[in-house]
Amino acid sequence: MTDFRAALKNKKRIVIKIGSSSLTHKETGRLDLRKLEVLVRELCDLSNQGKDIVLVSSGAIATGRAALGLKEKPTELRTKQACAAVGQARLMMIYQKLFSEYNHVTAQILLTRNTMVNGVNRVNARNTFEELLSMGVIPIVNENDSISTFETQFVDKFGDNDTLSAVVAAMIKADLLILMSDIDGLYTDDPNRNPDASFIETVDSLDESILGMGRDTPGTSVGTGGMKTKLTAARIATAAGTDMVIANGADFHNIHKIMEGKKLGTLFLQNAKEEFFLIDFIESLGI
Ligand code: GLU
């Protein structure tokens, strides 16, 4: 029988998504720099092994909010967008500083739903990813929060980076997507509420019983994605031929442990459809 965990070692193209709650201190919403250092070292090491690495990082709004000294989480759209504009630049400055300590070059790619749905934009985005990866650059992706909205007539936002990271993974035909979250993985029920909830190590098919486990319950006030968005990400990634792992982002050392085949998090096995059209698929999910 194939050991799917051990096979993760050989995955070549890897997208890693980090949520805001895994990057910031709970008490202040400011960046957790020691954790960021571990994250960057882990990613540089994977890149040094010859792997293609893409980081999807949240944290623009949280970082901007802290930089602007806003005590409360912003609720007004324009305030969130202003926070994102300030925070995205600051986030990239910090990433570039940390990655350059290990001699790695990063790039920023900001996407929206419209840029992914638009054929020309999508081909350009894919070409840019391919070119950067062939140069050994680590692209750092986020949603372009300052210009994309839910609220306008045209919905132009994925709204959460779980979905965005799966769409990116599908577009660049990644072998593996790792979602670092504030939960260990998938449980049969919400473990915060139900002590009998049991942990699921491997999901080989996303049937109704698994999809029903996706309650929309983010554990913190900084992120936007709950288990529901993670299961949507799993649907996109696995249909596109990408394995996906949801694991706890409390300790970024988990990244190399997952890559070594340790039984951490929940592994969703890819289930590639013969004919997979990314945009038709996400539209069929109502995204
Ligand atoms: N794009 C948002 C940010 O960087 C976060 C979205 C998410 O948490 O999934 O602040």
Side-chain angles (χ1 to χ4, degrees), residues 213-232:
M213 290 165 197
R215 294 212 178 146
D216 210 1
T217 50
T220 67
S221 66
V222 279
T224 49
M227 194 45 83
K228 194 170 163 200
T229 62
K230 288 175 181 60
L231 288 175
T232 302

Side-chain angles (χ1 to χ4, degrees), residues 96-154:
Q96 290 198 308
K97 177 179 185 298
L98 294 176
F99 275 99
S100 69
E101 284 176 15
Y102 299 99
N103 254 335
H104 281 272
V105 178
T106 55
Q108 169 181 272
I109 301 191
L110 299 179
L111 300 168
T112 69
R113 184 184 179 283
N114 278 355
T115 54
M116 296 305 275
V117 171
N118 179 292
V120 177
N121 289 165
R122 190 172 63 256
V123 168
N124 283 332
R126 198 174 52 218
N127 290 344
T128 305
F129 274 108
E130 291 296 345
E131 194 64 16
L132 289 169
L133 292 171
S134 75
M135 294 167 162
V137 175
I138 298 177
I140 301 179
V141 182
N142 199 356
E143 184 140 33
N144 196 345
D145 296 314
S146 295
I147 63 153
S148 61
T149 61
F150 276 132
E151 285 85 348
T152 50
Q153 191 184 356
F154 304 103

Side-chain angles (χ1 to χ4, degrees), residues 67-227:
L68 292 165
L70 305 183
K71 291 214 167 45
E72 302 301 322
K73 194 178 172 187
T75 48
E76 287 250 347
L77 173 65
R78 55 199 291 162
T79 318
K80 284 192 224 168
Q81 292 184 313
C83 286
V86 172
Q88 182 64 29
R90 187 167 281 217
L91 198 56
M92 279 311 294
M93 189 180 75
I94 293 166
Y95 275 130
Q96 290 198 308
K97 177 179 185 298
L98 294 176
F99 275 99
S100 69
E101 284 176 15
Y102 299 99
N103 254 335
H104 281 272
V105 178
T106 55
Q108 169 181 272
I109 301 191
L110 299 179
L111 300 168
T112 69
R113 184 184 179 283
N114 278 355
T115 54
M116 296 305 275
V117 171
N118 179 292
V120 177
N121 289 165
R122 190 172 63 256
V123 168
N124 283 332
R126 198 174 52 218
N127 290 344
T128 305
F129 274 108
E130 291 296 345
E131 194 64 16
L132 289 169
L133 292 171
S134 75
M135 294 167 162
V137 175
I138 298 177
I140 301 179
V141 182
N142 199 356
E143 184 140 33
N144 196 345
D145 296 314
S146 295
I147 63 153
S148 61
T149 61
F150 276 132
E151 285 85 348
T152 50
Q153 191 184 356
F154 304 103
V155 176
D156 182 27
K157 207 165 174 47
F158 290 115
D160 67 86
N161 280 357
D162 295 327
T163 309
L164 176 70
S165 62
V167 170
V168 168
M171 180 180 71
I172 63 169
K173 300 200 186 322
D175 302 305
L176 177 64
L177 167 64
I178 303 178
L179 298 186
M180 299 303 273
S181 171
D182 48 16
I183 186 159
D184 293 333
L186 183 64
Y187 286 85
T188 50
D189 196 2
D190 183 350
N192 295 317
R193 292 195 230 160
N194 179 357
D196 296 328
S198 57
F199 189 72
I200 303 172
E201 258 176 27
T202 311
V203 174
D204 43 26
S205 124
L206 280 163
D207 54 27
E208 283 310 314
S209 70
I210 297 283
L211 294 174
M213 290 165 197
R215 294 212 178 146
D216 210 1
T217 50
T220 67
S221 66
V222 279
T224 49
M227 194 45 83

